[in-house]
Amino acid sequence: MTKQIQDQLNRKLYLKNTPKRIVSLVPSQTELLVDLGLETSIVGVTKFCVHPIHLKKSKTIVGGTKHINIDKIQSLNPDIILCNKEENTKEIVEACQKICSTHVSDIFNIEDSLQLISQYGSLFDKKEEALKIVNKIQKEADDFKTFIQKKPILKVVYFIWKNPWMVAANSTFINYVLGLNNFENVYETKTRYPEIELNNSTIYKDVDVVLLSSEPFPFKNLHKKELQTFYPNATIELVDGEMFSWYGSRLTKVFTYFKNLRLNLEAFQAL
């Protein structure tokens, strides 16, 4: 009997059997597959699929998230290919569809993430495992909401790149996560990941916190001093970019991280 599945772009997929050979082109979704107990079904991943770290040694690497080796993917004879609207290009999705069923996620908030986890539960016959992850995320999110509602709103800039300087703005999962943390994104009036100018005429004295992401640009301590000139009154913090931009089962860990981040910021600002 053919199973009909709808992805998060409302595209219909028709599957005769539960997919057993999976190619994942999205690192956070690869991590989710493993946490659902599907590691043995994964046949292909990207070079950025680093969790768990041993996957890159045991699975075929088919490229990155923006550039793939379509012939290598086809040679793996997958039953399904997993993509994401932001991570992968339209051209990649179209090329993958010519090989086999291709599921595309589209994530803007936790509700979207929970829906994706549930979809994977149905798609791969892992409903019980998916429900456990969903319930844990919901509990962690509710606990964090109680914690953070008592905290003041802080004006924040979230950097993702240098040369040129780029920040996370509106219409991104990162911006949504900043809001969960009672962080007011200074660049919320812009969209996606705009380039910004930093020079002697752009001194932002009213910014409370500057967050430097570990990915995609690997910010280090030396960049904190460089940015302090432009944000003289801000606390500048290196943060784990995966916690702000990965979804799926990573959400079971993020709220403990966010709580500790807020407490560390409070301790630093009290000095």
Side-chain angles (χ1 to χ4, degrees):
M1 182 177 179
T2 300
K3 179 191 294 186
Q4 178 182 309
I5 296 290
Q6 189 165 286
D7 70 10
Q8 292 186 302
L9 296 186
N10 296 320
R11 298 159 59 257
K12 292 180 180 179
L13 285 68
Y14 298 94
L15 301 165
K16 291 184 178 180
N17 301 295
T18 300
K20 298 298 183 184
R21 297 180 62 80
I22 307 168
V23 169
S24 175
L25 301 182
V26 188
S28 56
Q29 293 173 191
T30 302
E31 180 180 51
L32 171 58
L33 292 174
V34 173
D35 289 339
L36 285 171
L38 292 163
E39 182 173 343
T40 57
S41 295
I42 300 171
V43 294
V45 297
T46 75
K47 62 183 178 180
F48 302 116
C49 294
V50 296
H51 296 295
I53 191 64
H54 66 265
L55 270 190
K56 290 172 65 175
K57 296 180 180 179
S58 60
K59 309 298 180 181
T60 299
I61 297 175
V62 298
T65 54
K66 298 291 191 282
H67 302 282
I68 61 170
N69 186 325
I70 197 69
D71 292 333
K72 187 175 286 188
I73 291 176
Q74 188 163 18
S75 71
L76 294 172
N77 193 29
D79 298 320
I80 194 166
I81 302 170
L82 305 178
C83 297
N84 173 264
K85 183 179 178 181
E86 178 175 312
E87 292 275 358
N88 311 124
T89 65
K90 181 180 179 182
E91 291 74 21
I92 284 176
V93 172
E94 290 174 346
C96 289
Q97 286 180 146
K98 295 178 182 178
I99 297 174
C100 66
S101 296
T102 301
H103 182 287
V104 183
S105 63
D106 191 20
I107 307 293
F108 284 98
N109 52 45
I110 285 182
E111 288 71 29
D112 294 335
S113 301
L114 298 181
Q115 181 190 59
L116 177 66
I117 296 167
S118 296
Q119 281 187 1
Y120 278 13
S122 297
L123 184 58
F124 300 112
D125 287 338
K126 292 288 184 178
K127 290 184 179 180
E128 185 176 340
E129 292 84 350
L131 183 59
K132 288 180 181 179
I133 294 174
V134 166
N135 287 343
K136 181 172 176 57
I137 292 170
Q138 289 177 324
K139 181 181 183 304
E140 295 284 337
D142 289 343
D143 289 347
F144 182 72
K145 185 177 181 180
T146 300
F147 165 81
I148 203 66
Q149 68 183 0
K150 303 172 185 177
K151 304 298 181 182
I153 295 174
L154 301 176
K155 288 190 174 183
V156 169
V157 178
Y158 188 101
F159 279 95
I160 65 162
W161 199 258
K162 183 182 187 297
N163 295 331
W165 295 106
M166 296 175 68
V167 297
N170 211 337
S171 300
T172 63
F173 185 68
I174 292 173
N175 184 67
Y176 168 78
V177 171
L178 292 175
L180 290 180
N181 282 272
N182 268 7
F183 291 150
E184 179 185 328
N185 190 349
V186 173
Y187 291 98
E188 194 167 21
T189 56
K190 297 183 179 294
T191 58
R192 307 300 292 160
Y193 304 103
E195 296 180 18
I196 65 169
E197 292 289 334
L198 292 181
N199 51 53
N200 291 333
S201 64
T202 55
I203 306 299
Y204 303 93
K205 295 183 179 181
D206 62 340
V207 172
D208 299 307
V209 178
V210 173
L211 301 177
L212 305 182
S213 180
S214 61
E215 62 169 36
F217 184 88
F219 283 103
K220 306 296 181 186
N221 279 314
L222 62 94
H223 300 112
K224 294 170 68 172
K225 185 176 181 180
E226 184 176 358
L227 283 165
Q228 197 76 71
T229 302
F230 303 103
Y231 303 94
N233 299 321
T235 301
I236 301 181
E237 189 82 6
L238 298 172
V239 293
D240 185 342
E242 294 174 358
M243 294 296 184
F244 283 86
S245 61
W246 284 38
Y247 41 87
S249 52
R250 176 55 56 107
L251 290 173
T252 61
K253 304 174 182 177
V254 299
F255 295 105
T256 297
Y257 177 85
F258 293 152
K259 183 177 181 179
N260 289 333
L261 173 62
R262 175 63 74 138
L263 294 175
N264 288 340
L265 289 173
E266 289 177 352
F268 189 86
Q269 291 170 337
L271 294 176

